Structure formats: C-alpha cells, structure tokens
Amino acid sequence: MAHINSAEIPGHFFRRIESLKVLDLPSYSFLPESINLLINLRMLCLRGCSIEDITIIGELKNLEIFDLAFSRIEELPKEIAQLSRLRLLDLSWCGKLKIIPPNVLSSLSKLEELYMEGSFTEWENGGVVGNERRNARLDELNNLFRLTTLHVHIPDVHMIPKHRFIETLDRYRILVGDYDYLNWYSKYEYSRTLKLKIYTNISSNNGVKTLLKKTEDLYLDLNGLEGIKSGLAELNNGQEFSNLKRVDVIIRMKESEPLPLFNKQTSHWISNLRRLIINGCGNLEHLLSPSVARRLEQLQCFEIVYCMCLREIIFTKEIVEEEEREDVICFPQLNSLHIKGIPDLIFFCSGNFNIEFPLLKELKIEDCPKLKEFISKSSTESGMHTLFNEKVAVPSLETMTISKLSNVKMIFHTDLPPDSFQSLRKLRVSRCEILKNLFPASIAKHLLQLEDLSISDCGVEEIVSEGKGVEDQPVRFEFPKLSSLEVTSLKELKCFYKGQHTMVWPMLKKLTTDGSGLLMRMGLEDVRMEERKGNGESVLVVEEVFPNLQQLELRLLSDEDQFPPNLFNHVKVLKVNGRFGDGFPIFPFLRKICNPESFDLECFSFRDGLPCKGDVGTPSRIKKLILYDLRNLQRMWRTDSELGHILSNLQTLTIHWCHDLINIGASSLSFKNLTTLKVSYCAMMTNLVTPLIVESLVQLTTMEVSNCTKMTEIVAQEGDYHQTIVVGKLKCLKLSYLQSLTSFCRGSYTFNFPCLEEVVVESCPKLKIFFDGVLSTPQLQKVNQGFYDKKECGAGDLNTTIQQLYIQEEKDLTFSDTFPELEIWQRNPREILELQNIGKMEFYKCSSLEYIFTSSMLLSLKQLWSIEVKECSIMEQVIREDEEEATAHELKFPQLYSVKMESCSNLTNFYLGSRALEFSRLSDITIAECPKITALSFSISKRSGKVIGEQDVEDNTAALFCDKVAIPNLEYLTLSSINIHKIWHDPSSSSLTHLWSLRVEGCHNLKYLFPSFLVKDLVELYVLEIKDCNMMEQVIFTDGLGAEDPARNHTIFSILHRLSLEDLPKLTSFGFQNYSELPHLEDLTLTNCPLLKTFISRSASGDEPQIHQPTQTNDSAVLNQKVVFPHLENLYIQNCDSLEEIIELQGLTANESQSTSATRSTMAETVTTKFVFPHVKYLGLDKVRSLNMHTTQWPSLEQMEVIECPKAQIFGEVEIPNQQPLFCVNEDTFPVLQELTLKTSDMMKGICDGQLSLQCFPNLKLLNLQFFPQTSTTLPYSFIRSLPKLQKLVINDASISELLQSEGLSHKERHTSAFPQLKELSLSELPELTLKTFEPSLLSFKNLTTLEVSKCHGFINLMACSTAKSLTLLERLSIADCELIEEITSCEGEDLQGSIVFPKLKYLKLSHLPGLASFSLAHHSLEFPVLQMVIVTECPKMKNFCHGELSTPRLEQMHLTGDEDGELQWEGDLNTTIKHMFDEMNVQNSQVVEVTDQLHQMEKGNILGCL
C-alpha cells in the first residue's frame, strides 16, 4: 500500500511501480498521467480530492475498490463504466456531484457495495427516454445482481423501482423524500435503515412495500391527509413486519378532516415505536386511547406540537370496555416529552387514571394557554389549576421547562409527596401570568439535585409557598448543588417565603436578577445584620448565603442606594444590563457592592462618557471590561474623569455595537496593563487610537478590529510625531470587514512591531498598503486572508503582501459622472474588465450611458455577484447585444446574486437581445422608480432585427418575467413604482419555489399579483407585502378556475409569516373563494382597503358561487371561507370602511354539522370560538367603522388599541340585536391583556354603556384613554373595579371633572381605594379636572412612582399635603402648561404634623406654569433626600421654591431649559437658585420694558417732528 501526502507528484512517478495494488491519495488536486500504468491496482482512495477530471481512472480495469468520498467532482465520467471488476464504489459526501451519465452504474455488474449518502440526488425520472436522458435512473440498479449494500437518497417515493435490486439488499440506508443532508447524521443502530416521507397514496408501490418488510429501523414522515392515510394503512394492513425493531414516526396534518391516527386495529408495529412526533393533527380533539397508550412500551421520545384543536392527549371519558378499567397508564421507556403550541389543550389525560413515567428525563410544556392540569382530578380540587398532582409520577425527571401556561396557578400540588421531584436538575418557568408561586416548601426542601433554576415574566408573589402543615420553627432551605439562578421580571413578587426561614446556596456560581428587587427576590431581606467593629457601620453578611458566587448579572438598575456596601464582595464577574435607561454613576455603584475582575456593561444610554463621580478610592481589580450596545456614548473618558485611575489594572477591553463611539481616547494610565483590545460594530468610529495611546500599550499582545464601516485608519494621524512608535509586545493583529480602511496609519511615522507574528486581513477592499511610512516587522512570516487562505509574507515585507492581497481581493467598483472610472469605462471598458475578481459594480448618475455591457464583456466578469444601477437618466438597457454577437447559446451569469435598478427614467429592460438568460444563483431583484420598464428581457429577431414583444407592451399583455429568463433560485423580489401590467404570465416563465420575500408598491397597472397556476409553487414564501396599487382587485387571479381545479384545494402559502395589504382601493378579494390556509402567518396588516366587507367568509360550500361566473353578490372577502391562522400574533386593521365582520358565522359546513359524538358534545361551547386567534398578542383597530366581533375569547392578547371605531359600545356583556358591542366580554375574554388604548369621541359609550359586573380585565397593567371631549363625565366605577392590577393610567384630551365619581357608591365602595397597584399616572388636556382627582379615599397612590400632569387648566394646586405625604414611592414628578396652578402642594384646611418627605423623588420638572408662586406656600418643611434633577422653565412668578425649611442633600444643579442637556445654574441651594433666577428674569423684563418705553418716546418724537 502506498499513502502519499499532498506534496506534488511528478508526472512519471508511477512508471516503475506497476505492481502497486493499493493507493491512497487524500485531498489531491490533480492526478499524474502515469497513474494509468497501475494495471494491477485493486484499491484507489481519492478522499477529499479536488480533481475535476478523473476520466483516466477508467483505464484501471482491475480496480475493485474505488473511494471518492468527500471529493469535489461534479460529474462522474462515462469511462467509469469500464471498471467491470469494481466491487465497491464510494461516492458519499460528494456535494457537487450532479451528473452520473446513463448506464454507467448498470455497467458495474460485479458491484456489491454502493455508498452515496450526502451526495447525488439527481436521479432521472422513468418517463425520460432516449437522447433526452442526461442522468442515471434508479432502475439501472436492477442490473446489479450482486448488490448487497446501498446508501442512497431518493427524492420522491414514486421513483422507487418495483424490481429485484431491493430484494438482494442485506444492508442499506435509504432516504426517500425531500430530506436535506443533515438527515444523514443519525445514530444507526441497525443495518437496514429506511427514512421515508409519504405525502400521497402509495398503495400500488410494491418497491416501498418490499423495503418496509425488510427494514429494521424505520423513520416515517407522514405529511398531509393522503400521506397519513396511506402510511398508516401500510403499517396496519395485517402483515407482520417481523424485522422491524425500531420505528420513529412524524405526522404533519393541517387538513380539517378529523382523521383518527391510532385505534385498536393499530398493528403490533406500535410496540416498537421509539419516537413519535405529531406536528399538527387537523381537527382531532383527542390523540390516544388508554389501550393504545399502554402499547407504547418502547417509546422514548414523544412530541406533540401545533395541534390547534387538541383538547387532551389521552381521552378516557367514553371508554367503557372492561380492559380499559385499569387505573394506571405507564410509559416505561419514555425519556423525553415535549408539548408545545396547543391552544385548546386542557389536560394530558382526563378520567380516573394515574400516569407513570418511570424513566422520563426531560419535560417541556410550552404555549398551552388553556392547560389547567397535567392529569385531571375528579375531586372538587380540580379547579385549583395545579399542573402536577399525585396522579402523575416522574421519579427520574431531570429537566423541566414550563412556558406560556396562562391558566396555571400552581405547578406543584401541596399534597405531593416531598420527594416527587427529587431528581430535578434543571427547572425553567416563564410567562405564566397567573402563577402564584414556584413550589411549596415541602417540595423545595427536597430539591437536593437542582443545578439550574430560572423563573421570569410570571405573576409569582412568592417563590416558595407555605403549603400545608406549616412548621412553627424557621424553615431551612438549602440547595446544595444549585449553580445557576435567574429570577427576573416578577413584578408581583413580594417575598421569597412568607414564614420564618433561613436559606443557603452553597454552590451557586451564577446569579441573574433585576436590580430593583434583588434583596427581596433572593430572600436576602431576612439575612442577619452585623456591626463592623470600630465605626459602627452595619453591613449585610451575604457570604453565608452565597459563599461561592462568581458571576452576577443585574438588569434594570435604577437606584444605587438600594444596596448595602460589599453586598457581593467575592463576585468575580459582574454583568449589568440597563435596558437603555439613562446612565448613573456606574463605577461608584460597582465599587460599593463588589470589586469584580470582569465587568460587562450592556444596554445603557450615556450622553457624555462613562459616568464616574464621587470618591473613586483605590484602583479596582477589574481586569476585563466589556462594553456592549451603549447608546449615545461618543467618548469613553471625560476630560476630568478618574476612570483611567479606576481601570489601571485593565488587561482586556472589548467594545461591541457602540455605534456613537468616535474612538477610545483615554489617559495613558488606563491602558498601561492592557494585553487584549477587541473592537467591532462601532459605526461612527473613524480611527481607533492616537499615536500617544499606542505608545502606552506596552503590554498589548492582541488587537482585533472588525465591522466598523467608517474606520479609515487604526492609528489616527495627529500632526508631526517624530518619535518611533514601538508596539513592543503585539503578536496578533486582525483587521476584518472594514470597508473604508485605507491604511493602518496615514501619518508619516515610523512603526516598529518587534514581536508581530500573525496578521489577518479579511474583507478590507480599500486597503492597498499597510502603512506608507517606515515599517519594521522582523518576526512576521505570513498574512492570513480569512480563516483558510494564508499568504506567505516574504522577508517580513508586510506592505508588499498587502498589495498582493489587494490585487486578489474581490473588487467593488462605483461609476458616476464625477468618478474617473466612468471616463475609462466609456473609452475602453477592457481596462476595467482586466481587473481581477470584480464582485460588485454600481452605476450611479451616469448621465451619458445608454447601456452598460455587451454580451461579450460578461465573459470577463465570472466573479460578478452584484449589479446596481441608480439614477442613470438615459440608460435603456443594462445589457445590449450587438448583432455580431448574436448566438443560440444561453447567456449565463454564474455568480450573479443581486440586481438593483432604481430611478432610471428611460430604462425599458435589463437585457435586449436574442439569447435566453440563465441566472443560476440570482437571489435578489429590486426594480424601483423605473416607469418605462415592462419586461426583464426583450428578444430581437435575428431575421428582421425587430424587437419581439413590443405588441404585447402595447396590448398590455407583456409580463415582467418570460420563458426566456431562468431564475431558479429567486428569493427576494421588490417592485416599486413601475408600470407593468403583469409580473408572471406563462407557467414556465419563472420558478418560484425558493421565493421568500415579495414586496410590491406603487404598481398602478397591476390588477392581480399571481396567476392561479403559480400559487402552488410558493412553498417558501415568508413575507408578502402589497401597497399602493390603485387597480389591484385580487391578489390571486382566479378567472376561469373551476371548482374541480386542484389549485383551489391546495394549501397555499404554507410558511407565510407576514402578510400586509395596504392602500388597495379596488381590492375585493384575496383569491380563492372556497379555501385558503395560512398555517404559519404571524403578522397580518390590512389598511385602506375600502371595498372589503368580510375578513373571513364562512358561507356554506354548497351555496358558493362559481368563481369563473359573474355574480351579483356583494360578498367580497380578503380571505375566504376556511382560513385558519393558528400562529397569528399581530393583527392590525385600519380605514376599512366596508369591513363588517372579522369572522362571518352564517352557517357550518357539512363536515362540521356531521361531527363525531365527541365533537358534538362540545359543539355548543366551541361554535362561536371556532376561529379564535389563539396566539394573537397585538390587536389594532383604527377607524374601522362597521366592524362586528363575534369571538369572545382572546387567550393570548397582550396589547390592544381601538381608535375611533364609532360603535355604540366597545365592551358589553351580552349581544343585543342591532346593537352589538365591538367586544362581547366575560371574565375569560382577555385573560392576559396587559395594555389597552381607547381613543373615542364618547367615553361612556366607548368603554361600557352600563355596568360590567365581572372582572373583564384581570391582568390589565396599562390603560390609555384619549379623545372624549364632548360630554363631561367620570370613569364608571364598574369599569375601574375590573382593573385590579392596573399599573399605568394615561388620560388625554377629555371633558372629565373627576376620575372617579363618589356619588351613588356604597359605604364600602367609598372606602375601598381604586387602582391599588397604580405606579404611573399621566393626565393631559383635561380642562375640567380639579383637586378632587387626588382624593385619597377613592384613589390609592401608595405605589405611585411617576406622576405627569400637563394642560390641565382647572388646577389651582395639584394635591393636598396629606396626599403628598402618602407618595412615599414617587420617583418622577412633572407638571407643565397648567395656566392657573399657584402651588403644587396645598395645606389649606389641614393640620399638618411634621415635614412632608418625598423619600424616592429623583426628578422634578416645572414648566410653563405662569401662575406658579412656589412648590408650597405653607410654612412647613420639605425634604427630598434623593432628588438629583430639577428642571424649572418659564415660571415667571416663582420667587422661591418653598416658604419653609428645605432639604435636598444630593442636588447639585438646576436646569433652566426644558431638556436635560440645557443651561445649568446653581447658587448653593435650591431656594437661593430659584430666587436668583427670578431676580435675573425681573432685570431682563425691566430692561425690555425700558427699551420699549424708549422706542415709544422716539416714535412719539418723530411724529411731533413731522407735525
């Protein structure tokens, strides 16, 4: 055997070793000619070779084993057929192999093993014969009588031959269907594996049946109604599959027919089922019977996802047979259970059954808003909405994920045995709005294996509940193995545990939480306090609770004073995420709670450098600093900053996505220990550092800069710098994706890099030379161009190497009237075309070009991937064919990926000529503002020289795409403001199977978008947007499409996620009148479509008019009949004047009226909610005048806006004929609605005309009421009562005298405060509102943090002093544009005791208050202990801030303009500053008066003089 490495082999190498039998040439790029002399060669291995032509191998007639795996061949030469002794051929993972000539495989008569996994799939269909054949057919394998092993991918189940080669196979791995290469990566346990996709009837396919009988390991993917029926019929036909040892089944069903999947007749194959995945199950409400569930003895993985009608997994209510009366169902081998996206699921199993999962390790339950209990209980406790009770056993469960279960109040029942979940290692719970706690104390004390715990976005009030049998002694909670803990966004959380307790987290290493509730949420509120000896300062001892904590992540920091000192003294890694809040003193805060080695600062907004105020003390131990997504940060260091001192130990600095940062200029002290500097995605950065800073980087070893689009140089040019700049320890320099970089430094300096060993330069297209001055790199040996490409750097000459890379770098060329390249192009284009690797060409404002290329020019542009043409006023074509170039061959663009033609007023087409166009890789086409373009290509007749198709243009029948333009991989198409009449015309004009995004705007001649025959090809369409097309009547043109046409019943737009129809004044129909399905639609926008009357029409199919016949009906619908939106999340409808109904419920189809008994039993409750949008999170209705809503349930709706919809009533409890409310509500209508905006001209009718007796908005947190100025009114108490969790109230532009009316209320109601959880209140343009608004007996302000009042001219003062004293949590107070207000707080008629303290107020704004004299006119004390910002503007009568004593210990300045960056003033204290401002204003006013008087006197004198 000879194994030869990749060194070059001489051409005559094999002349003297003709007897060689085994040869291994891995990863070779060529074959020496003498290889044909190896006549005795038995085995040849060319694995990973890049040889294009292996024809010579056909001469090795004695070859028995030929291994070409992982090679780059594109075609197997026909000479391989001469290898008549070949026993093994390995073509696996030849990803480029597209051609195997006919009869090559059939000639290899002794072949025993054929391996083709991850490789050839272009099998010729059996219907192609004779000279038309280009590729091999599967039936050629029938001639291989000795074939025993086959690994192959067959694209379609109907291509499997019916003949004998299948019968001879002993070992095989066969994929049948549209699998991708990743499906080959499996763990193969058995020698005969079949992966089979069935989407149609296979009852007559004997080849499939033979394979099924022989298969040991079966992966079955059943798609669609026909595929599921046929696949299950084959498995259940009574034949024994004796060889079957493992079965995996995936079922995907979207059709409406309720097809039972499993029943008693299910064959014994189900006992071998290892993996069962149900992805959609039509209208099935139940999946398994107990008897079928018990037969799943080998099931290891069970997934049920996106089954829209499923109510239970195991249904037991109608089971009466004797054998079903066992009360235990066991899944003995189940390891993983995943349930997701089932909106109607109530139970996993109902009835009196216990379910056991003895080996279950992983459980995920997500997005099941109606799920109450995993196993239902027959007792009265079934209404507790507890997920797990004693009827389910999961003793081995290690990982559990619970998410978006809107109906679950508790996860673990208090009666569960304490050790029920003792094996749990990872628990993640999120978005469970009404969840009250995480687990009871009995369970929590036994979670000794728990390692990872996360809970976020839930309604949890306590982490651990007391449960039953609460102990009198303090409870000790210890989580001995927990290493990661996340507790975030728990707005209702009050404590960790109500009772007395101690807690220990001995192994906790990572903690993530909200800064605002850290102490409470972590249970630290009860951690004991000790006194530090010597100074008496009390400190929180946390080491006992988190002794090994290493990483802390805090989010939404707001108050640096909430943390005791040295809270986390042992933390090494600190991450702080501000969610883009305003910056506060980060580093003093940081030093207060801990002193980490690594600090990540993310998502803050800083206006003037990183904030650093106060006593900085000794340098911190921060060695690693990461700055990520810091907005408004233009410079890191202020001129007076102590940051350089604080970060003097910094070793690693990483900056990502700081778009406003100009450079990292700093003091030399700050970088003296820096070893690693990484900067990326800083859009405004033009250079990185100055020469002075570079010299201070004495320890720097690694510098990486990438994706900074405006960076032109790394080291800025700063005047004359005559010293040699030595970067003494730099070893690695990486520069990548810097589009504007022209040089490392443009100054005439001397750079010395004595240790530089590695340079990477990737995608820096303008970098022609590294540095123009004196450069020394003695240790540099190579320059890397990306990850794989390496270029040797001879003699340390970095500049020469960079120049070579520039020549080879893909070029982006721009041509314009002002660019010299255009002159060269017009004179002699060859000078440009001779440049290598032109990748992108842009022509911008080239006013003298009529066209760009001729056909022959394109031969030099083999790497061209992008063409952009913009504002070329006289250009008519991009490519024009000269007569002498005319040929019958296709014009090919092998690499062209993107074409953009914009604002070219005379452009008529992309190509004018006689040749067909082939764009094999074209993916993105944009045509905009080109009014004369009518077709992508026009043909010229070779005989007459006339343009073919001009008549079509005149007749308005020309289409943009024709049959002479092949674009098989089109993904993105954008058409804007062009006058085309059709986009597609002929069925063969374009392939749309890969179209992902289609956007059409301002095409006023289009009457429709798609012809019906193309709709079935839109299998990958993800985004569809149509806007401002004045003549469009239909999206899908259905003229002449009969009821029997298969296109009518085809599932269209199967993966469409976004649909937007805007400004379509003539649109009357989306398309098919009887059936459309949009199973994955997430976003739907409908705006300014005035002729639409019904959104979803449900007329009975028997009454439907034929589409091709004109009818007199007015039933125009956007999406007709059975449109289902199972994944819709955002729905917005605006200005659709004729829209009357979202869902028309005039009748049920025959299938629905003939439902099964199980279905009929629930028909009464489900008929009105048949088309509930189960996942809609946002609903916007704007100026929808005639709309009626029939549904009463919005289970996932979180945000709703109703704007100027002139219904008699928006919310009502019952429907009244001819007076239906927009929403007929009950307590289940909006279970998770959090934000509600109402803008209506009549508030009483807008909210409710009468009383709402139920809590219809149990989770509403934000209420925004706008525009009801007509009648003076108040908020109805019944409506207020339905908002128990309201946190923010906004009222704007209303005639409202009181927020709440006290008249008519009972004694109990008058003394029950409304809005007990209100945190933010904003009142604007309420002229009738008075002080009664803030009457404490009706409104609770104990939790108020923000109060904003503007343009409320009825106020003389804002609040009584007693009310002011109750605002203990108020943080922001803003009063503006209130004409009559004289003081903010008024003590008139009150006997005030003590001071008025605003303990949390940080921000105070008083603006445009012409009558304001003082914050308070009374002589009492005011205290603002944390007030940091005061803005006072245009308050001309304000002489002082208050008349009594005033305390503002943290206030250092006052703003005199309306914004926070405006003019500052400070005179030592707030009262003095206000008085000084008042005096200055009076001086200015007196000067104005004096000047005005002088002008009057002068004018008077002039008049007298004239007289």
Side-chain angles (χ1 to χ4, degrees), residues 559-561 585 1424-1428 1448-1452:
D559 188 355
E560 58 180 300
D561 288 330
F1424 301 88
V1426 298
L1427 187 63
Q1428 297 175 7
T1448 59
R1450 298 187 60 179
L1451 190 63
E1452 298 178 356

Side-chain angles (χ1 to χ4, degrees), residues 568-586:
F568 297 103
N569 209 31
H570 296 294
V571 167
K572 294 181 179 179
V573 178
L574 176 64
K575 296 183 178 182
V576 182
N577 188 314
R579 301 282 177 90
F580 304 113
D582 291 336
F584 64 98
I586 288 290

Side-chain angles (χ1 to χ4, degrees), residues 1010-1030:
F1010 304 108
S1012 59
F1013 57 76
L1014 285 182
V1015 174
K1016 65 182 185 302
D1017 296 331
L1018 297 168
V1019 293
E1020 294 188 11
L1021 190 64
Y1022 193 94
V1023 176
L1024 176 58
E1025 296 180 1
I1026 311 171
K1027 183 177 181 180
D1028 189 24
C1029 295
N1030 291 343

